[in-house]
Amino acid sequence: RAKELGRNQYCLYDHALAGMVNNRLEIENQLRYALSRNEFLLHFQPKVDAKTRKIIGAEALIRWNSPERGMVSPVEFVPVLEETGMILEVTQWVITEACRVLKAWHQQGLMVQLAVNLSAMDFRQQDLVDQINTQVSNFGIEPRWLELEVTEGVLLDDLQRTSEMLSAFKREGYKISLDDFGTGYSSLSYLKRFPLDCLKIDRSFVRDIPSDQNDVALVNAILAMASSLGLVVVAEGVEELAQVEFLSEKGCDYFQGYFFSKPLSESDFEVLLRADA
Ligand code: C2E
Ligand code: MG
Ligand code: MG
Ligand code: MG
């Protein structure tokens, strides 16, 4: 009986596994057509100045509007794009789209920055700097309006190469942000080694302030360190007034989170920007 049960469980597990593998292959296949079928879009989440409470920019966040699956979160498909190498083409699309939107806003006098997310694999392309430069100059945008967000994982992929490439971006005038700060495995010495402009405190540290004393201590330490290194700080995942008040008092420079706005479509973001101007 036990054996039978065991066998059944094994079958069930096997079945579930097969289902997972199938689903993954299906996502992969559907993603192969997503670019040419125009299924990707960008949403924009405001970044707000802690002092003036004005929108100073946005982060571009990719969405996949799949005919089969509906709106898919990047948490589900960006890893697949990265594992298959499709991310390279998609990043180029993101940059083009970000430049187009940024240019449109600037032409209307809405002078904001726009941040895009780059993956480790993007930095394995030696001509990444040239590719982005070409697009930015084709649109007639000054690099200082474009911000490049990288995670600690990107930095660690190949220390020498990424630091050289980030220095090249920095020389051109791009802003560089370290995303999800505190969740990776990088050492603090990297904060000096890489030419960073900004730290984005991961939302896992923001969530339980000001009540969790450990998180309060960590956030205080990050803010003090950033300030002495001349880095600006963005708090991610700000959802509550108490977080805004605490972070403002401690000298955090910018906020991003549902308290101010969820990521919005291009047109909704424009409406918000005009109302905020
Ligand atoms: P991220 O770069 O750290 O982006 C912030 C994520 O936090 C976004 O999730 C955003 O919607 C979410 N968020 C913002 N405010 C709040 C809040 O107050 N509460 C909560 N609970 N969440 C909040 P999203 O859009 O699902 O993106 C997830 C991740 O996918 C991004 O994390 C980024 O790592 C990746 N990603 C998004 N777009 C791109 C892209 O174009 N290229 C690459 N390589 N990765 C991307
Ligand atoms: Mg980001
Ligand atoms: Mg982040
Ligand atoms: Mg994240």
Side-chain angles (χ1 to χ4, degrees), residues 170-226:
K170 179 87 171 183
R171 278 195 299 278
E172 297 290 335
Y174 296 92
K175 294 277 184 301
I176 299 160
S177 291
L178 188 51
D179 204 353
D180 303 343
F181 180 67
T183 60
Y185 294 94
S186 66
S187 116
L188 292 181
S189 67
Y190 296 163
L191 296 182
K192 270 178 59 187
R193 165 159 186 177
F194 291 94
L196 304 170
D197 299 287
C198 170
L199 293 185
K200 297 189 77 178
I201 305 182
D202 190 69
R203 68 168 185 264
S204 58
F205 301 110
V206 173
R207 191 180 50 220
D208 298 324
I209 55 173
S211 61
D212 185 306
Q213 289 314 300
N214 289 324
D215 288 341
V216 163
L218 281 170
V219 168
N220 279 333
I222 293 171
L223 287 168
M225 185 180 59

Side-chain angles (χ1 to χ4, degrees), residues 4 11 51 54 76 78 124 133 154 159 182 185 210 225 253 261:
E4 208 171 277
C11 281
K51 291 205 180 75
K54 290 269 179 205
E76 283 178 60
V78 166
R124 290 186 211 152
N133 269 332
V154 171
L159 291 176
Y185 294 94
M225 185 180 59
D253 303 280
S261 170

Side-chain angles (χ1 to χ4, degrees), residues 91-92 94-96 99-100 102 116 118 122-123 125-148 164-176:
T91 296
Q92 290 307 313
V94 169
I95 300 289
T96 311
C99 288
R100 179 189 68 73
L102 197 51
V116 294
L118 297 177
D122 294 318
F123 281 84
Q125 288 209 296
Q126 277 305 335
D127 59 350
L128 181 69
V129 183
D130 289 338
Q131 282 178 14
I132 293 184
N133 269 332
T134 303
Q135 302 217 51
V136 165
S137 78
N138 281 345
F139 280 93
I141 295 166
E142 286 172 62
R144 69 187 167 105
W145 295 102
L146 194 68
E147 194 169 325
L148 308 173
E164 279 166 16
M165 289 171 83
L166 287 177
S167 297
F169 277 123
K170 179 87 171 183
R171 278 195 299 278
E172 297 290 335
Y174 296 92
K175 294 277 184 301
I176 299 160

Side-chain angles (χ1 to χ4, degrees), residues 59-61 115-117 149 179-180 200 236 256:
E59 176 173 7
L61 295 157
V116 294
N117 293 281
E149 294 194 3
D179 204 353
D180 303 343
K200 297 189 77 178
E236 295 191 293
Q256 192 181 335

Side-chain angles (χ1 to χ4, degrees), residues 2-16:
K3 198 172 168 190
E4 208 171 277
L5 194 74
R7 194 186 299 134
N8 280 340
Q9 276 177 345
Y10 177 75
C11 281
L12 205 69
Y13 170 72
D14 215 26
H15 212 76

